[in-house]
Structure formats: C-alpha cells, structure tokens
Amino acid sequence: MIYSIFAQRDATIYEKSVEMNTGIDSLLEISHEQPGSGSKIFNARVLIKFDVSDIQSKINSNKISSNAKYYLSLITADVRDIPQEYTVYAYPVSSSWTNGTGRWGNNPITKDGVSWKYFSSKTTGKEWDIPPTISNYEWDNLSQTWVDANILFGSNLSVYVTSSYFGNEGGGTWWDYDNLECTQSFIFQSSDIYMDVSSIVKKWVTGSGRLDNDGFILKFSNDIESSLENLTGLKFFSTDSNTIYVPRLNIVWDDSVFITGSLSQISEDNVNLNVKVKKFYAQNEKAKIRIYGNTRYPQKNYTTQSYQTINYYLPSSSYYEIRDAHTDEVVLPFDYTGSKISCDGTSSYFNLWMDSFQPERFYRVVVKVERDGGNNVQTFDNNYYFKVTR
C-alpha cells in the first residue's frame, strides 16, 4: 500500500536576505551563491512540515503498519548549474516556526514569518537559537536553552541540536543524533527528490525518544554550501504552487495477501486485463480495485459458461502505478513493497485510499507483471481512468 499526504506548510529561508519570509511562494529553493571574489557566501534552505497526527492514529489502529517506510517527494521546477554529483540532506527541525505570507520578490519584503534569522518573524524578534561554538555545550530540553554540560552534574544528554551558516548567522536549527540524518545522492539523474526519511518520521510517530514534529529542513552538503563556486540551485514546486506537483510524504508498506483459491494463474501469452475502476470516487473513499484476467483468444472446448467470464489471477510479482491522466505524472509509483497486487480467491486486487489524490482530477491505473525474476516484464496501460471528487 502507498498512502500519500500533502505538506501542511513550507518556506525557503535565504541567507542573502535574512529577514525575508517566503511562506506562500510557489517555489521552494535549495541553492548556493558566491557572487564574486571576497564576497560572502549565501545559501538557501527549505523548511517543510507535514501533519503526521493522522498517521500516528492509523498506526495505533493497525491501519498502517508500524514497519512502514516514509518517502519525501519533491518535484523539480528549475535547475541551475548543479554539479554532476551532489547530495541533498534532510534533518528534523528542532524548533517550531511560523509559515508567514511572504513571496520571493515582494517589495518591500514580507517579514511576518520564518526567515534565515527568525523562526517566528521579524515582528516577534524570535531568532533561531544557534548552538554555541564551545564543544561541551549541550541542549537542555527542560530549560530549552544551551547549557554547559559540566553544570549538569555529569548528566548525559543524548539529544543534540546543531546548525551551520557561512555568510550570515541563522539558517535554522535541527536535531542531529541517532541516525536522524537522511540523504539522497544524485549522479547524472533527475533532480526530483524521493528520499527515504523513515528514521525521522518514526521519531515523530512511534517508538521511544519521540520528537515534536516541527518538519524537515533540506540543504546541500557543507562542501557545496561552503564552496567558492558561483551558483548552484534547485527549485521545487511548493504546496502553494496550485499544480499537481505539490510536495508529498508517501507512506509505504506491504498490505498484500495472496489466496488464489480455485483460480488459475494467467498465462504469459494472450493476456487480457480488466481493471474494474468506477468513474468517480469520493475523496474519503477507501477502494478495493479488482483486476480480472482472462485470455484474449481462448482455446475452444466444451463449457457451460462464457470464455470471457473465466477469471485468472496475476502472478504475485505484479504491481500497480497511478498516473495523472492529464500530465502523465506518476503520482503513486511502482514499488516492490507498497504496490504489490493481491489475490483473495475471487480475483486479483489492490487497495487505494482516495485522499492520497488531489480532488477534481482524473487518474489512470497502470499494471506491471514481472516473470522470470524481472527479466520478462509486461505492462498494461489500457485507459483505466477514474476521477476523485470532493
């Protein structure tokens, strides 16, 4: 199963304009700029938050597996002079922040929300609590301040907050302990982000040492951020972009069952699939999409029923994908864990939660069948359309 939720809020913070808020800008930006010899270095980082309270309740009620994986999805809008190989880093933000109503290019700039210098706004004057440079200072959760570790009578604080900046002080603060650093490396490939952020999200929703969910901060590596190269930049569609390309958090787990009953497996040749989707689904529906398989040219023999009513099941190595019908953008991708097709003795099927989709749009189902360890692949894309309504 792949269940997708949308970002609650997002913003870019710019080292070049430390008080500027971009809380409702249509684009998010991770960038590095070094204007010229002797100039300051300026970076831009992304803050993005998802409401995971519903995920927590679904885990508690066994609707979502506690072993689920979590993937952050951002779609690229623009790329500028990125290196052939680079890595994007994600950390859990260690402070709450105010989204604000600013956009890049506002004149005068908007200062009513999060920025490079302030986690709330210029108006309230609450700056990011940047860690001291002295190595024996640690963050005390009780007092919410930095304290000298020696004063804590030997107490062993296991939670650390960190930050970094190269031109102007600020740039956010984040938790950095217990494998909470998530990364995605890029080598000659699309700059769209699909990053495994399971270690962070699980700290928000399950397990011991739970953290408050203040969202993610995304940035380049310190090597790029401190580089003397002139310009490197990635722009992504934001939650305020009014497009289908908004940020998503995909929750992926294996909900498949495989009970074939009296059904026979469909042969490799002569395959005809009928994916039984309704024309319309309400956004709150949880649908069971059945797939009926039969042979396109059945062998004639004596029978008391129509050949077209004889149903076969798909192999266990079969998967589904959901695409936007208008743009052909992949909304829920083929996944060897999350998009397995099940069988219950009546037919093959898969489950789909319709609140994973933006309403008032049409979507298309694509089915893939793998055989011989993936060496033989059949794809069925035969106009299986449905629409999600409000």
Side-chain angles (χ1 to χ4, degrees):
M1 179 86 178
I2 303 178
Y3 176 49
S4 188
I5 63 173
F6 303 100
Q8 186 179 29
R9 61 178 186 261
D10 52 31
T12 304
I13 55 176
Y14 289 91
E15 195 167 11
K16 193 173 185 178
S17 183
V18 297
E19 297 177 355
M20 180 177 67
N21 172 259
T22 62
I24 59 172
D25 198 90
S26 61
L27 297 175
L28 302 170
E29 183 172 0
I30 305 174
S31 65
H32 165 76
E33 180 180 356
Q34 207 277 338
S37 178
S39 301
K40 277 187 176 182
I41 291 173
F42 300 120
N43 293 294
R45 297 167 180 168
V46 167
L47 298 173
I48 183 167
K49 182 178 178 180
F50 296 83
D51 183 355
V52 297
S53 58
D54 186 55
I55 297 175
Q56 185 175 334
S57 66
K58 283 183 169 64
I59 291 174
N60 293 338
S61 60
N62 295 318
K63 293 178 181 178
I64 292 178
S65 170
S66 59
N67 296 319
K69 303 281 282 184
Y70 301 86
Y71 294 90
L72 175 64
S73 175
L74 297 176
I75 305 300
T76 306
D78 187 33
V79 176
R80 296 174 297 163
D81 297 330
I82 58 172
Q84 294 175 341
E85 300 181 17
Y86 65 96
T87 300
V88 174
Y89 290 75
Y91 300 92
V93 182
S94 63
S95 173
S96 61
W97 46 279
T98 303
N99 196 59
T101 61
R103 292 186 177 92
W104 169 263
N106 281 359
N107 189 11
I109 63 173
T110 305
K111 303 180 182 181
D112 66 352
V114 67
S115 64
W116 186 268
K117 186 174 183 179
Y118 302 99
F119 67 82
S120 56
S121 68
K122 164 67 173 177
T123 305
T124 61
K126 295 181 179 178
E127 299 182 16
W128 293 103
D129 210 336
I130 304 301
T133 56
I134 304 173
S135 60
N136 67 332
Y137 271 67
E138 297 185 3
W139 181 259
D140 180 15
N141 268 332
L142 295 178
S143 63
Q144 291 289 294
T145 58
W146 293 99
V147 296
D148 188 332
N150 296 326
I151 300 177
L152 296 178
F153 305 103
S155 297
N156 181 20
L157 296 182
S158 60
V159 179
Y160 300 89
V161 173
T162 191
S163 182
S164 64
Y165 57 89
F166 298 93
N168 294 313
E169 184 173 310
T173 58
W174 54 89
W175 301 113
D176 185 13
Y177 81 105
D178 197 20
N179 299 316
L180 288 181
E181 176 184 272
C182 296
T183 65
Q184 183 175 354
S185 296
F186 298 82
I187 304 175
F188 298 101
Q189 67 190 76
S190 167
S191 55
D192 291 348
I193 289 178
Y194 197 72
M195 184 189 300
D196 185 346
V197 291
S198 301
S199 62
I200 295 175
V201 178
K202 287 184 177 181
K203 280 292 184 182
W204 292 335
V205 300
T206 61
S208 59
R210 183 175 297 173
L211 299 176
D212 289 337
N213 171 22
D214 292 313
F216 302 98
I217 185 168
L218 277 68
K219 61 188 288 293
F220 281 132
S221 66
N222 286 341
D223 287 342
I224 290 181
E225 287 197 332
S226 61
S227 169
L228 298 181
E229 295 291 332
N230 182 34
L231 182 65
T232 298
L234 296 170
K235 292 184 178 181
F236 305 94
F237 292 98
S238 80
T239 192
D240 297 293
S241 63
N242 296 316
T243 69
I244 68 160
Y245 307 110
V246 294
R248 293 170 173 265
L249 183 66
N250 284 353
I251 303 98
V252 179
W253 73 98
D254 185 357
D255 71 335
S256 64
V257 296
F258 217 78
I259 303 171
T260 60
S262 60
L263 299 179
S264 299
Q265 181 173 303
I266 197 164
S267 63
E268 180 179 342
D269 302 320
N270 258 348
V271 178
N272 184 50
L273 292 188
N274 184 11
V275 180
K276 299 292 287 185
V277 290
K278 298 192 303 183
K279 290 183 178 180
F280 304 100
Y281 291 94
Q283 197 176 15
N284 61 356
E285 278 193 66
K286 292 177 172 53
K288 189 173 188 176
I289 311 296
R290 291 198 173 274
I291 305 173
Y292 294 99
N294 49 56
T295 53
R296 188 182 299 274
Y297 307 108
Q299 183 177 356
K300 292 184 177 180
N301 52 39
Y302 178 78
T303 180
T304 58
Q305 65 182 116
S306 168
Y307 291 116
Q308 300 304 320
T309 64
I310 300 175
N311 185 34
Y312 299 86
Y313 71 85
L314 298 180
S316 58
S317 53
S318 302
Y319 311 90
Y320 69 89
E321 179 177 81
I322 309 297
R323 292 176 172 263
D324 183 87
H326 180 68
T327 65
D328 207 39
E329 184 74 23
V330 174
V331 179
L332 300 182
F334 289 123
D335 187 277
Y336 287 120
T337 299
S339 70
K340 288 182 179 179
I341 291 176
S342 299
C343 183
D344 62 2
T346 299
S347 71
S348 297
Y349 72 92
F350 61 91
N351 296 311
L352 211 55
W353 292 357
M354 294 302 166
D355 55 353
S356 294
F357 305 97
Q358 291 176 302
E360 305 306 325
R361 295 194 67 88
F362 286 92
Y363 299 92
R364 189 174 82 250
V365 179
V366 182
V367 174
K368 179 174 71 173
V369 177
E370 294 188 359
R371 305 174 193 266
D372 303 327
N375 293 320
N376 184 350
V377 178
Q378 293 175 293
T379 302
F380 300 89
D381 187 2
N382 297 326
N383 300 323
Y384 311 121
Y385 291 106
F386 64 93
K387 182 180 181 180
V388 176
T389 61
R390 296 186 192 278

